[in-house]
Amino acid sequence: MVPSLVARLGIEHPLIQAPMSGSTTPALVAAVSNAGALGSLGAGYLEPQAILDQAREIRAASGHPFAINLFVLPETFEVDMAAVDAARRALDALMEREGLDVRTVMPARWAPSFAEQFAALCEARPAVASFAFDLISPGQMRQLKQLGIVVVGTATTVAEARAWEELGADAVSLQSAEAGGHRGTFLHEPEEALIGLFALLPLTARAVKIPLIAAGGIMDGRGMLAAEVLGAAASQLGTAFLACPECGAAAAWKHDLAGSTEHDVATIRSFSGRAARGLRNTYVKAMAAIEAELPAYPVTNALTSPLRRAAAAAGRGDLLSEWCGQGAGLSRAMPAGELVAVLMDEYVQARRAFD
């Protein structure tokens, strides 16, 4: 472990709850931070006012440091309307087949403005700001540093970690192949950046000097210690917190995690138009034939939004984007604060085994 990162983050444990956009709630973030780890708000889908409102909720429930995470996106998108029309027809047909009384709609815009989200993040002034999908600009980096906010970039390769270091990031979160959710890859094709954590960590530790955060497949304290031995300053766990009652994941999604196996986890583009890791379910299989033809993120993500909401309401986990990492079957349903305590007890016990 690199104690300086834990001290700089103002936390007690080398543990970060991953910022799972669409699933993290202020209650989850506050519970994790209150337990001595770093809670993270996944704000990639939130409008600016929602970011400010949820940051206030977190502060009302916790006086401890927390993070806000954003997806770095352009302000405008090139959209192939013929592809949009074809995607809508396929999605509407699928919803009709599955008995969901909802259809796709054209959104007012495809995604929130990143510039406006970034301004809200700066106003909210969390202890930590983390980013995925791309680098922020040098000017944005300077602004965060002036505000005293610790900056964490997401990397899936050594080259991406170097890019964040050169930009001035304080730490980098290494998203390995085992990790769930959207891939943060930005310098490579996603298929080229599916690197196992136990290779990615030592390779990156040799290449950069900033602290590394291990993310991907870590579900218990033993995994945290293993990541530390290979060069991680802290571990970031997402799937491990999905089953917590404070997590906003749909009940059917949580149920499906417990019965999943390692080979059920796949790289999926059909829910959002961007590579992401999750369960290969009914929706994924039904859309496999046209997955490559769907519009890129965030267009498909916006188009599937009504389906995902309807599926959650109907208890149809098999039609949801059930994002999760490779170790989903090891998830434990318990309050988030209790889970942090269990993880840290396992971590301590694992260290003692080697003393």
Side-chain angles (χ1 to χ4, degrees):
M1 183 179 68
V2 180
S4 59
L5 177 66
V6 173
R8 185 168 185 189
L9 296 180
I11 58 179
E12 181 183 351
H13 307 307
L15 172 60
I16 299 169
Q17 164 250 313
M20 301 170 287
S21 290
S23 299
T24 48
T25 63
L28 175 63
V29 176
V32 172
S33 290
N34 286 339
L38 184 72
S40 304
L41 177 67
Y45 304 142
L46 299 181
E47 293 292 343
Q49 188 57 51
I51 293 174
L52 295 173
D53 292 344
Q54 294 196 22
R56 278 193 288 270
E57 285 186 56
I58 295 167
R59 285 199 167 95
S62 173
H64 298 280
F66 66 95
I68 294 177
N69 173 269
L70 293 178
F71 298 150
V72 184
L73 295 172
E75 291 300 308
T76 59
F77 307 94
E78 292 185 11
V79 180
D80 181 343
M81 292 309 298
V84 169
D85 291 342
R88 292 187 65 187
R89 288 193 297 271
L91 289 167
D92 288 345
L94 174 62
M95 286 185 275
E96 182 175 7
R97 236 176 12 251
E98 293 296 334
L100 296 181
D101 189 22
V102 66
R103 298 296 179 265
T104 58
V105 295
M106 287 294 289
R109 58 179 175 176
W110 298 113
S113 161
F114 175 71
E116 294 175 4
Q117 288 180 317
F118 184 84
L121 181 150
C122 291
E123 184 178 343
R125 205 165 178 171
V128 180
S130 63
F131 301 93
F133 292 11
D134 207 347
L135 300 172
I136 57 175
S137 71
Q140 290 166 335
M141 180 66 77
R142 286 193 297 271
Q143 188 174 354
L144 293 169
K145 293 298 184 72
Q146 289 167 358
L147 292 170
I149 297 173
V150 176
V151 179
V152 177
T154 300
T156 62
T157 65
V158 174
E160 290 176 349
R162 282 200 190 103
W164 274 109
E165 181 178 51
E166 290 168 3
L167 184 61
D170 298 292
V172 64
S173 174
L174 288 178
Q175 186 191 41
S176 72
E178 298 94 334
H182 282 104
R183 302 297 298 162
T185 308
F186 59 92
L187 290 181
H188 316 269
E189 291 299 320
E191 293 80 4
E192 299 171 354
L194 290 170
I195 305 164
L197 187 63
F198 274 29
L200 187 58
L201 264 174
L203 286 169
T204 310
R206 186 178 64 181
V208 303
K209 293 182 171 58
I210 59 175
L212 304 178
I213 299 166
I218 304 173
M219 297 294 289
D220 57 28
R222 296 173 303 163
M224 292 173 60
L225 180 62
E228 178 185 313
V229 170
L230 290 173
S235 292
Q236 180 171 288
L237 281 63
T239 304
F241 286 96
L242 279 174
C244 294
E246 300 93 338
C247 179
W253 178 0
K254 294 182 180 184
H255 174 270
D256 289 347
L257 288 177
S260 67
T261 60
E262 72 285 353
H263 62 270
D264 291 327
V265 179
T267 302
I268 303 159
R269 286 183 175 80
S270 54
F271 277 110
S272 71
R274 184 182 179 97
R277 301 280 282 166
L279 294 184
R280 188 188 293 105
N281 58 19
T282 298
Y283 174 93
V284 176
K285 294 172 185 175
M287 299 295 286
I290 65 166
E291 184 178 55
E293 302 164 18
L294 295 172
Y297 187 97
V299 176
T300 295
N301 191 67
L303 293 177
T304 62
S305 180
L307 181 149
R308 288 180 279 122
R309 285 196 300 269
R316 291 292 303 273
D318 63 324
L319 297 177
L320 284 171
S321 48
E322 298 180 298
W323 303 143
C324 63
Q326 212 73 56
L330 297 173
S331 60
R332 296 172 279 194
M334 63 179 71
E338 183 179 335
L339 179 58
V340 170
V342 169
L343 289 166
M344 294 315 303
D345 181 64
E346 292 171 344
Y347 170 84
V348 170
Q349 294 301 321
R351 285 187 64 89
R352 286 177 180 165
F354 288 98
D355 289 343

